[in-house]
Amino acid sequence: ETGVTQTPRHLVMGMTNKKSLKCEQHLGHNAMYWYKQSAKKPLELMFVYNFKEQTENNSVPSRFSPECPNSSHLFLHLHTLQPEDSALYLCASSAGGGKLFFGSGTQLSVL
Amino acid sequence: GESVGLHLPTLSVQEGDNSIINCAYSNSASDYFIWYKQESGKGPQFIIDIRSNMDKRQGQRVTVLLNKTVKHLSLQIAATQPGDSAVYFCAEKGSDDYKLSFGAGTTVTVRA
């Protein structure tokens, strides 16, 4: 158990659906992240929040909408996704200094 | 920009042997490096890290070596066990304390 919990673990959605991914960290960290992991590719940073403020948006399409109500919770709202958005979405948290703690991820399939 | 890469995408190791996983990085200003292990169905888990003012750091059965002259990082696993089968990622941190750049990963398979 890393102290970072993601739900759901698996999600199948159609291109017209709206769904949300949830992440919660119990480590007292101030920064939270969304990463996308596709097969055979390095982890892609999507968003960074530090003390609830978004500090990084790595040119992510607007069909992905993050929300960070407090330093312990992070959401990723999904709407009108494409099949190429199918991937493992990882949440992480950090206290700064480089070391990230990851959740187990949400395996997303877009049909 | 920063880029981090691993020399080999796959590594097959006999159980009990030592494993060496290599990683090259391009940003000479990177000051922190970290290795993660990712097992099937799980997120990346921290293994060991090293700061740029060191060239070697040891953990339990793992050693990280840093050669800043040639911008090379390696992870050595002693007496490799079946539970070591996983994908291993190296990552580096530059001036931004909240940003890591990851390599593509090396898949390690341990043969019985």
Side-chain angles (χ1 to χ4, degrees), chain A residues 53-84:
Chain A
E53 299 299 319
Q54 188 178 115
T55 57
E56 182 90 19
N57 178 339
N58 205 18
S59 302
V60 180
S62 59
R63 58 186 183 268
F64 295 91
S65 175
E67 179 189 359
C68 187
N70 55 61
S71 294
S72 299
H73 294 85
L74 185 65
F75 297 89
L76 188 62
H77 303 300
L78 316 171
H79 63 98
T80 60
L81 293 192
Q82 304 298 309
E84 60 264 30

mmCIF file of all heavy atoms in Angstrom, chain A residues 53-84:
data_model
loop_
_atom_site.group_PDB
_atom_site.id
_atom_site.type_symbol
_atom_site.label_atom_id
_atom_site.label_comp_id
_atom_site.label_asym_id
_atom_site.label_seq_id
_atom_site.Cartn_x
_atom_site.Cartn_y
_atom_site.Cartn_z
ATOM 1 N N GLU A 53 -3.389 24.267 -6.560
ATOM 2 C CA GLU A 53 -3.295 25.109 -7.755
ATOM 3 C C GLU A 53 -2.637 24.325 -8.889
ATOM 4 O O GLU A 53 -1.601 23.672 -8.686
ATOM 5 C CB GLU A 53 -2.480 26.368 -7.460
ATOM 6 C CG GLU A 53 -3.073 27.250 -6.379
ATOM 7 C CD GLU A 53 -4.443 27.766 -6.747
ATOM 8 O OE1 GLU A 53 -4.639 28.139 -7.929
ATOM 9 O OE2 GLU A 53 -5.324 27.803 -5.856
ATOM 10 N N GLN A 54 -3.208 24.427 -10.074
ATOM 11 C CA GLN A 54 -2.629 23.721 -11.205
ATOM 12 C C GLN A 54 -1.345 24.418 -11.641
ATOM 13 O O GLN A 54 -1.355 25.619 -11.946
ATOM 14 C CB GLN A 54 -3.616 23.673 -12.379
ATOM 15 C CG GLN A 54 -3.137 22.786 -13.525
ATOM 16 C CD GLN A 54 -4.140 22.715 -14.670
ATOM 17 O OE1 GLN A 54 -3.850 23.174 -15.766
ATOM 18 N NE2 GLN A 54 -5.290 22.136 -14.425
ATOM 19 N N THR A 55 -0.253 23.665 -11.658
ATOM 20 C CA THR A 55 1.033 24.241 -12.040
ATOM 21 C C THR A 55 1.557 23.688 -13.353
ATOM 22 O O THR A 55 2.562 24.162 -13.875
ATOM 23 C CB THR A 55 2.084 23.981 -10.942
ATOM 24 O OG1 THR A 55 2.176 22.563 -10.732
ATOM 25 C CG2 THR A 55 1.690 24.659 -9.643
ATOM 26 N N GLU A 56 0.879 22.663 -13.885
ATOM 27 C CA GLU A 56 1.339 22.067 -15.140
ATOM 28 C C GLU A 56 0.133 21.503 -15.880
ATOM 29 O O GLU A 56 -0.684 20.794 -15.303
ATOM 30 C CB GLU A 56 2.332 20.942 -14.862
ATOM 31 C CG GLU A 56 2.917 20.277 -16.095
ATOM 32 C CD GLU A 56 4.182 20.933 -16.585
ATOM 33 O OE1 GLU A 56 4.815 21.663 -15.799
ATOM 34 O OE2 GLU A 56 4.550 20.713 -17.748
ATOM 35 N N ASN A 57 0.022 21.877 -17.141
ATOM 36 C CA ASN A 57 -0.928 21.258 -18.057
ATOM 37 C C ASN A 57 -0.115 20.946 -19.302
ATOM 38 O O ASN A 57 0.216 21.847 -20.073
ATOM 39 C CB ASN A 57 -2.081 22.207 -18.352
ATOM 40 C CG ASN A 57 -3.065 21.614 -19.356
ATOM 41 O OD1 ASN A 57 -2.740 20.711 -20.121
ATOM 42 N ND2 ASN A 57 -4.279 22.137 -19.352
ATOM 43 N N ASN A 58 0.184 19.682 -19.486
ATOM 44 C CA ASN A 58 1.143 19.303 -20.514
ATOM 45 C C ASN A 58 0.459 19.127 -21.872
ATOM 46 O O ASN A 58 0.501 18.060 -22.471
ATOM 47 C CB ASN A 58 1.843 18.005 -20.088
ATOM 48 C CG ASN A 58 3.197 17.870 -20.724
ATOM 49 O OD1 ASN A 58 3.779 18.825 -21.213
ATOM 50 N ND2 ASN A 58 3.711 16.652 -20.725
ATOM 51 N N SER A 59 -0.191 20.209 -22.328
ATOM 52 C CA SER A 59 -0.877 20.200 -23.633
ATOM 53 C C SER A 59 -1.885 19.070 -23.744
ATOM 54 O O SER A 59 -1.953 18.376 -24.763
ATOM 55 C CB SER A 59 0.149 20.091 -24.780
ATOM 56 O OG SER A 59 1.068 21.149 -24.720
ATOM 57 N N VAL A 60 -2.640 18.881 -22.677
ATOM 58 C CA VAL A 60 -3.625 17.802 -22.643
ATOM 59 C C VAL A 60 -4.929 18.274 -23.300
ATOM 60 O O VAL A 60 -5.379 19.397 -23.030
ATOM 61 C CB VAL A 60 -3.896 17.372 -21.188
ATOM 62 C CG1 VAL A 60 -4.916 16.239 -21.149
ATOM 63 C CG2 VAL A 60 -2.601 16.957 -20.501
ATOM 64 N N PRO A 61 -5.557 17.447 -24.153
ATOM 65 C CA PRO A 61 -6.821 17.841 -24.782
ATOM 66 C C PRO A 61 -7.890 18.169 -23.748
ATOM 67 O O PRO A 61 -7.918 17.589 -22.652
ATOM 68 C CB PRO A 61 -7.211 16.593 -25.593
ATOM 69 C CG PRO A 61 -5.935 15.866 -25.812
ATOM 70 C CD PRO A 61 -5.089 16.133 -24.611
ATOM 71 N N SER A 62 -8.796 19.061 -24.116
ATOM 72 C CA SER A 62 -9.805 19.538 -23.168
ATOM 73 C C SER A 62 -10.825 18.476 -22.791
ATOM 74 O O SER A 62 -11.603 18.675 -21.849
ATOM 75 C CB SER A 62 -10.529 20.753 -23.757
ATOM 76 O OG SER A 62 -11.150 20.399 -24.979
ATOM 77 N N ARG A 63 -10.833 17.337 -23.479
ATOM 78 C CA ARG A 63 -11.750 16.259 -23.087
ATOM 79 C C ARG A 63 -11.315 15.618 -21.755
ATOM 80 O O ARG A 63 -12.040 14.822 -21.179
ATOM 81 C CB ARG A 63 -11.861 15.214 -24.198
ATOM 82 C CG ARG A 63 -10.555 14.568 -24.615
ATOM 83 C CD ARG A 63 -10.792 13.652 -25.824
ATOM 84 N NE ARG A 63 -9.596 12.939 -26.226
ATOM 85 C CZ ARG A 63 -8.740 13.386 -27.135
ATOM 86 N NH1 ARG A 63 -8.943 14.560 -27.710
ATOM 87 N NH2 ARG A 63 -7.675 12.660 -27.459
ATOM 88 N N PHE A 64 -10.108 15.971 -21.285
ATOM 89 C CA PHE A 64 -9.641 15.595 -19.947
ATOM 90 C C PHE A 64 -9.682 16.848 -19.084
ATOM 91 O O PHE A 64 -9.005 17.845 -19.385
ATOM 92 C CB PHE A 64 -8.213 15.071 -19.987
ATOM 93 C CG PHE A 64 -8.042 13.792 -20.752
ATOM 94 C CD1 PHE A 64 -7.748 13.821 -22.110
ATOM 95 C CD2 PHE A 64 -8.180 12.570 -20.123
ATOM 96 C CE1 PHE A 64 -7.594 12.631 -22.818
ATOM 97 C CE2 PHE A 64 -8.017 11.383 -20.814
ATOM 98 C CZ PHE A 64 -7.726 11.411 -22.162
ATOM 99 N N SER A 65 -10.437 16.798 -17.996
ATOM 100 C CA SER A 65 -10.598 17.969 -17.147
ATOM 101 C C SER A 65 -10.265 17.607 -15.704
ATOM 102 O O SER A 65 -10.998 16.853 -15.073
ATOM 103 C CB SER A 65 -12.040 18.475 -17.250
ATOM 104 O OG SER A 65 -12.263 19.534 -16.362
ATOM 105 N N PRO A 66 -9.150 18.132 -15.165
ATOM 106 C CA PRO A 66 -8.794 17.788 -13.791
ATOM 107 C C PRO A 66 -9.496 18.694 -12.790
ATOM 108 O O PRO A 66 -9.924 19.807 -13.108
ATOM 109 C CB PRO A 66 -7.283 18.033 -13.779
ATOM 110 C CG PRO A 66 -7.093 19.159 -14.745
ATOM 111 C CD PRO A 66 -8.148 18.980 -15.810
ATOM 112 N N GLU A 67 -9.596 18.181 -11.564
ATOM 113 C CA GLU A 67 -10.160 18.963 -10.462
ATOM 114 C C GLU A 67 -9.433 18.582 -9.192
ATOM 115 O O GLU A 67 -9.236 17.397 -8.915
ATOM 116 C CB GLU A 67 -11.658 18.669 -10.301
ATOM 117 C CG GLU A 67 -12.304 19.429 -9.150
ATOM 118 C CD GLU A 67 -13.726 18.959 -8.871
ATOM 119 O OE1 GLU A 67 -14.221 18.059 -9.583
ATOM 120 O OE2 GLU A 67 -14.324 19.481 -7.911
ATOM 121 N N CYS A 68 -9.011 19.577 -8.429
ATOM 122 C CA CYS A 68 -8.286 19.312 -7.184
ATOM 123 C C CYS A 68 -8.912 20.156 -6.071
ATOM 124 O O CYS A 68 -8.501 21.294 -5.857
ATOM 125 C CB CYS A 68 -6.806 19.646 -7.361
ATOM 126 S SG CYS A 68 -5.770 19.168 -5.960
ATOM 127 N N PRO A 69 -9.916 19.614 -5.373
ATOM 128 C CA PRO A 69 -10.611 20.387 -4.346
ATOM 129 C C PRO A 69 -9.769 20.657 -3.103
ATOM 130 O O PRO A 69 -9.993 21.657 -2.419
ATOM 131 C CB PRO A 69 -11.820 19.519 -4.008
ATOM 132 C CG PRO A 69 -11.396 18.127 -4.367
ATOM 133 C CD PRO A 69 -10.477 18.273 -5.548
ATOM 134 N N ASN A 70 -8.809 19.789 -2.826
ATOM 135 C CA ASN A 70 -7.890 19.983 -1.699
ATOM 136 C C ASN A 70 -6.626 19.176 -1.963
ATOM 137 O O ASN A 70 -6.566 18.421 -2.937
ATOM 138 C CB ASN A 70 -8.543 19.586 -0.364
ATOM 139 C CG ASN A 70 -9.078 18.184 -0.388
ATOM 140 O OD1 ASN A 70 -8.330 17.229 -0.576
ATOM 141 N ND2 ASN A 70 -10.387 18.043 -0.212
ATOM 142 N N SER A 71 -5.631 19.297 -1.112
ATOM 143 C CA SER A 71 -4.342 18.652 -1.371
ATOM 144 C C SER A 71 -4.387 17.142 -1.292
ATOM 145 O O SER A 71 -3.428 16.480 -1.694
ATOM 146 C CB SER A 71 -3.292 19.179 -0.387
ATOM 147 O OG SER A 71 -3.027 20.534 -0.614
ATOM 148 N N SER A 72 -5.489 16.568 -0.797
ATOM 149 C CA SER A 72 -5.577 15.117 -0.637
ATOM 150 C C SER A 72 -6.376 14.432 -1.732
ATOM 151 O O SER A 72 -6.345 13.210 -1.831
ATOM 152 C CB SER A 72 -6.210 14.762 0.717
ATOM 153 O OG SER A 72 -5.445 15.259 1.780
ATOM 154 N N HIS A 73 -7.130 15.196 -2.502
ATOM 155 C CA HIS A 73 -8.027 14.606 -3.495
ATOM 156 C C HIS A 73 -7.783 15.195 -4.879
ATOM 157 O O HIS A 73 -7.583 16.409 -5.030
ATOM 158 C CB HIS A 73 -9.486 14.836 -3.104
ATOM 159 C CG HIS A 73 -9.895 14.113 -1.860
ATOM 160 N ND1 HIS A 73 -9.689 14.647 -0.605
ATOM 161 C CD2 HIS A 73 -10.452 12.887 -1.676
ATOM 162 C CE1 HIS A 73 -10.142 13.795 0.300
ATOM 163 N NE2 HIS A 73 -10.598 12.720 -0.315
ATOM 164 N N LEU A 74 -7.851 14.315 -5.853
ATOM 165 C CA LEU A 74 -7.655 14.722 -7.240
ATOM 166 C C LEU A 74 -8.609 13.918 -8.118
ATOM 167 O O LEU A 74 -8.763 12.713 -7.914
ATOM 168 C CB LEU A 74 -6.204 14.468 -7.665
ATOM 169 C CG LEU A 74 -5.775 14.941 -9.048
ATOM 170 C CD1 LEU A 74 -5.825 16.468 -9.150
ATOM 171 C CD2 LEU A 74 -4.374 14.434 -9.379
ATOM 172 N N PHE A 75 -9.243 14.604 -9.051
ATOM 173 C CA PHE A 75 -10.167 13.946 -9.973
ATOM 174 C C PHE A 75 -9.714 14.204 -11.402
ATOM 175 O O PHE A 75 -9.056 15.208 -11.697
ATOM 176 C CB PHE A 75 -11.592 14.492 -9.797
ATOM 177 C CG PHE A 75 -12.187 14.236 -8.444
ATOM 178 C CD1 PHE A 75 -12.004 15.153 -7.411
ATOM 179 C CD2 PHE A 75 -12.925 13.092 -8.199
ATOM 180 C CE1 PHE A 75 -12.558 14.924 -6.152
ATOM 181 C CE2 PHE A 75 -13.478 12.853 -6.942
ATOM 182 C CZ PHE A 75 -13.291 13.773 -5.919
ATOM 183 N N LEU A 76 -10.103 13.287 -12.272
ATOM 184 C CA LEU A 76 -9.915 13.500 -13.705
ATOM 185 C C LEU A 76 -11.261 13.210 -14.370
ATOM 186 O O LEU A 76 -11.710 12.064 -14.394
ATOM 187 C CB LEU A 76 -8.823 12.589 -14.262
ATOM 188 C CG LEU A 76 -8.418 12.856 -15.711
ATOM 189 C CD1 LEU A 76 -7.829 14.271 -15.870
ATOM 190 C CD2 LEU A 76 -7.405 11.817 -16.194
ATOM 191 N N HIS A 77 -11.900 14.268 -14.851
ATOM 192 C CA HIS A 77 -13.202 14.137 -15.499
ATOM 193 C C HIS A 77 -12.994 13.884 -16.986
ATOM 194 O O HIS A 77 -12.197 14.582 -17.642
ATOM 195 C CB HIS A 77 -14.028 15.405 -15.284
ATOM 196 C CG HIS A 77 -14.222 15.749 -13.835
ATOM 197 N ND1 HIS A 77 -14.841 14.899 -12.949
ATOM 198 C CD2 HIS A 77 -13.842 16.856 -13.123
ATOM 199 C CE1 HIS A 77 -14.856 15.465 -11.735
ATOM 200 N NE2 HIS A 77 -14.256 16.647 -11.828
ATOM 201 N N LEU A 78 -13.704 12.885 -17.497
ATOM 202 C CA LEU A 78 -13.528 12.423 -18.869
ATOM 203 C C LEU A 78 -14.831 12.608 -19.651
ATOM 204 O O LEU A 78 -15.901 12.248 -19.152
ATOM 205 C CB LEU A 78 -13.152 10.938 -18.879
ATOM 206 C CG LEU A 78 -12.100 10.482 -17.867
ATOM 207 C CD1 LEU A 78 -12.001 8.951 -17.860
ATOM 208 C CD2 LEU A 78 -10.760 11.117 -18.173
ATOM 209 N N HIS A 79 -14.738 13.161 -20.847
ATOM 210 C CA HIS A 79 -15.938 13.253 -21.692
ATOM 211 C C HIS A 79 -15.542 13.238 -23.156
ATOM 212 O O HIS A 79 -14.515 13.803 -23.553
ATOM 213 C CB HIS A 79 -16.765 14.494 -21.337
ATOM 214 C CG HIS A 79 -16.034 15.781 -21.584
ATOM 215 N ND1 HIS A 79 -16.215 16.547 -22.720
ATOM 216 C CD2 HIS A 79 -15.128 16.451 -20.844
ATOM 217 C CE1 HIS A 79 -15.458 17.625 -22.648
ATOM 218 N NE2 HIS A 79 -14.790 17.589 -21.527
ATOM 219 N N THR A 80 -16.357 12.586 -23.940
ATOM 220 C CA THR A 80 -16.153 12.415 -25.397
ATOM 221 C C THR A 80 -14.734 11.960 -25.715
ATOM 222 O O THR A 80 -14.025 12.563 -26.531
ATOM 223 C CB THR A 80 -16.498 13.695 -26.183
ATOM 224 O OG1 THR A 80 -15.681 14.775 -25.743
ATOM 225 C CG2 THR A 80 -17.960 14.030 -26.008
ATOM 226 N N LEU A 81 -14.288 10.917 -25.039
ATOM 227 C CA LEU A 81 -12.947 10.390 -25.284
ATOM 228 C C LEU A 81 -12.884 9.626 -26.600
ATOM 229 O O LEU A 81 -13.910 9.245 -27.163
ATOM 230 C CB LEU A 81 -12.527 9.474 -24.129
ATOM 231 C CG LEU A 81 -12.322 10.136 -22.770
ATOM 232 C CD1 LEU A 81 -11.635 9.156 -21.820
ATOM 233 C CD2 LEU A 81 -11.524 11.417 -22.869
ATOM 234 N N GLN A 82 -11.659 9.394 -27.038
ATOM 235 C CA GLN A 82 -11.390 8.675 -28.264
ATOM 236 C C GLN A 82 -10.754 7.318 -27.928
ATOM 237 O O GLN A 82 -10.149 7.162 -26.865
ATOM 238 C CB GLN A 82 -10.424 9.488 -29.140
ATOM 239 C CG GLN A 82 -10.906 10.893 -29.454
ATOM 240 C CD GLN A 82 -12.202 10.877 -30.230
ATOM 241 O OE1 GLN A 82 -12.320 10.195 -31.244
ATOM 242 N NE2 GLN A 82 -13.197 11.621 -29.753
ATOM 243 N N PRO A 83 -10.860 6.346 -28.834
ATOM 244 C CA PRO A 83 -10.235 5.036 -28.556
ATOM 245 C C PRO A 83 -8.747 5.139 -28.224
ATOM 246 O O PRO A 83 -8.251 4.361 -27.392
ATOM 247 C CB PRO A 83 -10.488 4.260 -29.849
ATOM 248 C CG PRO A 83 -11.758 4.828 -30.394
ATOM 249 C CD PRO A 83 -11.677 6.308 -30.068
ATOM 250 N N GLU A 84 -8.052 6.107 -28.805
ATOM 251 C CA GLU A 84 -6.610 6.236 -28.520
ATOM 252 C C GLU A 84 -6.318 6.755 -27.113
ATOM 253 O O GLU A 84 -5.154 6.794 -26.682
ATOM 254 C CB GLU A 84 -5.924 7.154 -29.548
ATOM 255 C CG GLU A 84 -6.465 8.566 -29.604
ATOM 256 C CD GLU A 84 -7.504 8.736 -30.705
ATOM 257 O OE1 GLU A 84 -8.211 7.760 -31.030
ATOM 258 O OE2 GLU A 84 -7.615 9.874 -31.214
#
